[in-house]
Each structure stands twice: as C-alpha cells, then as structure tokens.
C-alpha cells in the first residue's frame, strides 16, 4: 500500500515507469482494490515511453471487456500530468512544454508487408526522426529505417518479430470508382489508440495537377492516417494513404474549402521501390485473386496496421 501511494504521486506527475507500476498494481489488486479500467489507463499512458509495458497490457486486455477497454482509453485521453509544490505538496498544472517534453512529436500509420517485420509508411512521417517505435498488439517495440524514397513519399522500416503482412497488387488494374478502404490511427490524442476504418472510392486515377503517381480517393483521411495501406475489395494493397488537398491553397485558388479530397501513392511505385531491396521483394505475398467478404478484408488490414510513433 505504501508503494502504491508513491507510484501514484509519481504517475500523476507524468513519470512513465511509475505509471506502469501503478497500472499493474491496479489491474492485479496489489496494494489497492483491483480496478481493470484504472489500471489500463495508466498502462496506456506508460506504453508511449516504456517498452516493457507490453506484457502487462496484453495480460490486462485479456481480462477486460470492450466497454472497459474503451473507458480506459477515454480516461487516458483526459489525463493531465501535475507537479507538486516543494513547500506544501499542493498540486499545480504542468506547463505545456514540460508536459510534452517526452511525448512523441508525430505519429502516423504503417502496415506490414513481410512476416519478419518489414513494413511501409510515408517518408514524411519518419523524416528527421531521432528514433521510432511501433505500438502493436504486443506493446511498444523499436523500429529502424531501412530505406526511403523521398520523391514518392515512401519509407521501408524493420521491426523484430513475426507479423501478419498484406499482399501488394499492381495499381494499373485499379478502375475509376473502385471501392477501397484503409485502417489507420488518426488523431490518437483525440480519437484514441484503437484502429479506425475509412471506406470510399477511387475518385480519380491521378492526383493534384494530374500527378500520375497518385490516386485521388474519397476515403475520409485525418492527421495520423498517413502511411496506411489503401486496400481493394480483395484485400490487396493498391496504394499508400499520403495527403489531403491543402485547404488554404484551395481556398485561395477557388474561394472554396475542399471537401474530402485526399490522395494515395499508387502501389506500382511501391513495388518499384521494393525491387531495389531484394531480400524484401522476395518475401512479398502473392496478391489475392478470389472475391472476399468485406469484413475479412477489414480484418486483414487491421491485423497488418500499426501505429508509428516518432520521437
């Protein structure tokens, strides 16, 4: 009980190790009444910076209902660290720069393309990163950049472990109006850490200014979706979600704000990029050729999707 008291005081001030220890104590009832929701909240907060939290999170999630997990995520989103006055222990708000000093400076989405941990995201997501981590089902894991293609906004990363990859199909077979979808992690600070589905159509076979490297898509895209897989109705990757039409530029040019005008790099450019890395291109899955239920397509995309945290 004495240990939990000190864990809590440090955790409320934003100490990630203490948040992990307090979360584990709450979830297991050690020194405090068992509370899965409270424990999960602290584990989520710790997961951003403490890699060892993955084992605790997995065991706790297995004992929780979906409603409890959602409540824990809600509490984590509302958390604000505090510091204590040295004189009387009074809690005061943390200044904004201090509060964010150890937080990721950016986030995006990635997707696995090989079972042994090769994955793809946008180059602009990981540009100038000091280090990068992935938030997976197993917890937080480090990742390294293998190669980038700045011209086409592509980055190949490598994580250690075994994962569920997606097959990549050539984008030349994609038709105008074809149904496409993406699973990603938009606005995690507001919308939470759970993967989000977006579904739409191929709105154009070229991007802004008729750029042939891109599709225009009607799939809803938010900050954090960048780097996510754009999959067709058979679950093949046909693009990589990359950008939105710049609202300021569109307003200045036309006097109107754009509505749901988004872009994805075509998969044919991704395949060309991967040809320069033989050990990866040799591992790629063969594209799916049979019709599939949309629910199965979404499940595959969700299993391959990962949150990319950049520091």
């Amino acid at each position: 009980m004495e240990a939990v008291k000190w864990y809590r005081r440090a955790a409320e001030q934003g100490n990630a190790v203490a948040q992990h220890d307090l979360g584990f104590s709450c979830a297991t009832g050690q020194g405090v009444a068992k509370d899965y929701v409270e424990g999960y909240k602290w584990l989520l907060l710790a997961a951003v910076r403490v890699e060892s939290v993955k084992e605790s999170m997995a065991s706790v999630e297995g004992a929780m209902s979906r409603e409890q997990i959602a409540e824990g995520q809600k509490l984590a989103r509302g958390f604000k660290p505090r510091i204590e006055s040295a004189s009387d222990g009074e809690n005061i708000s943390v200044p904004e720069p201090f509060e964010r000093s150890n937080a990721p400076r950016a986030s995006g989405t990635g997707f696995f393309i090989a079972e042994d941990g090769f994955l793809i995201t946008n180059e602009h997501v990981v540009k100038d990163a000091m280090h990068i981590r992935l938030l997976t089902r197993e917890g937080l894991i480090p990742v390294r950049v293998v190669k980038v293609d700045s011209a086409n906004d592509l980055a190949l990363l490598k994580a250690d472990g075994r994962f569920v990859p997606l097959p990549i199909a050539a984008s030349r077979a994609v038709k105008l109006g074809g149904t496409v979808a993406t699973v990603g992690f938009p606005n995690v600070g507001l919308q939470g850490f759970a993967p989000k589905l977006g579904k739409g159509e191929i709105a154009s076979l070229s991007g802004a200014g008729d750029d042939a490297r891109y599709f225009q898509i009607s799939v809803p895209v938010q900050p954090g979706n960048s780097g996510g897989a754009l999959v067709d109705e058979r679950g093949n990757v046909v693009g990589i979600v990359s950008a939105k039409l710049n609202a300021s530029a569109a307003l200045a040019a036309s006097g109107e704000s754009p509505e749901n005008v988004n872009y994805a790099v075509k998969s044919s450019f991704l395949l060309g990029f991967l040809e320069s890395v033989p050990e990866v291109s040799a591992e790629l899955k063969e594209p799916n050729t049979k019709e599939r239920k949309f629910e199965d397509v979404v499940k595959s995309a969700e299993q391959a999707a990962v949150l990319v945290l950049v520091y």
Side-chain angles (χ1 to χ4, degrees):
M1 292 174 65
E2 182 72 6
V4 168
K5 181 184 77 172
W6 291 105
Y7 290 159
R8 189 177 299 279
R9 288 183 66 174
E12 289 177 347
Q13 296 177 69
N15 184 283
V17 175
Q19 289 171 342
H20 170 269
D21 293 342
L22 178 60
F24 186 76
S25 296
C26 291
T28 58
Q30 295 186 20
V32 66
K34 182 182 291 188
D35 187 334
Y36 285 125
V37 173
E38 181 73 3
Y40 190 60
K41 176 191 81 172
W42 291 115
L43 291 173
L44 279 173
L45 293 168
V48 176
R49 299 194 298 275
V50 181
E51 294 184 29
S52 61
V53 76
K54 59 184 180 182
E55 294 181 2
S56 300
M57 285 190 66
S59 61
V60 172
E61 285 180 338
M64 297 175 67
S65 66
R66 291 184 177 179
E67 291 76 15
Q68 288 175 316
I69 290 175
E71 181 63 22
Q73 292 173 340
K74 179 180 178 181
L75 293 174
R77 290 195 298 270
F79 172 74
K80 293 291 183 182
R82 296 179 293 179
I83 57 176
E84 294 186 359
S85 166
S87 58
D88 56 13
E90 179 183 0
N91 288 321
I92 60 177
S93 297
V94 177
E96 190 75 4
F98 180 87
E99 180 180 331
R100 293 185 176 181
S101 61
N102 292 318
R105 65 172 179 81
S107 69
T109 301
F111 60 96
F112 289 102
I113 58 171
E115 291 183 355
D116 61 353
F118 284 102
L119 68 147
I120 293 294
T121 189
N122 284 142
E123 187 269 344
H124 79 257
V125 170
V126 298
K127 185 177 181 180
D128 299 326
M130 295 295 292
H131 60 276
I132 308 165
R133 291 176 177 173
L134 306 178
L135 188 58
T136 69
R137 294 173 180 270
E138 285 72 37
L140 207 64
I141 61 175
V143 65
R144 61 183 175 87
V145 178
V146 177
K147 191 172 185 177
V148 300
D149 177 358
S150 299
N152 294 312
D153 199 15
L154 300 172
L156 175 66
L157 313 181
K158 178 67 169 67
D160 292 330
R162 306 298 295 180
F163 304 93
V164 179
L166 286 173
I168 306 172
S171 52
R172 60 179 176 272
V174 174
K175 305 296 184 183
L176 185 67
T179 298
V180 285
T182 189
V183 174
F185 301 88
N187 290 319
V188 291
L190 295 173
Q191 296 179 245
F193 295 95
K196 309 296 189 298
L197 169 68
K199 183 181 180 183
E201 294 79 34
I202 298 293
S204 175
L205 297 178
S206 58
D210 292 327
D211 192 330
R213 296 173 298 171
Y214 295 88
F215 290 124
Q216 181 180 324
I217 56 176
S218 63
V219 178
V221 168
Q222 307 297 330
N225 276 120
S226 292
L230 186 74
V231 298
D232 63 14
E233 292 181 292
R234 295 177 178 176
N236 298 313
V237 177
V238 295
I240 303 90
V241 176
S242 181
K244 298 168 64 73
L245 181 63
N246 185 282
S248 298
L251 186 61
S254 66
E256 299 288 340
S257 296
E259 295 185 8
N260 201 27
V261 180
N262 308 307
Y263 301 101
V265 180
K266 293 179 180 179
S267 58
S268 292
F269 290 88
L270 172 59
L271 289 171
F273 170 56
L274 294 176
E275 285 181 0
S276 64
V277 191
E279 65 269 29
V280 178
S281 59
E283 297 183 38
L284 298 179
K285 293 180 63 177
E286 289 294 323
N288 297 317
T289 58
K290 297 181 179 180
E291 297 297 326
R292 301 177 66 194
K293 293 182 179 179
F294 183 69
E295 292 82 358
D296 294 334
V297 170
V298 172
K299 184 178 180 180
S300 297
E302 180 184 0
Q303 290 175 331
V306 65
L307 173 61
V308 180
L309 299 173
V310 180
Y311 299 81

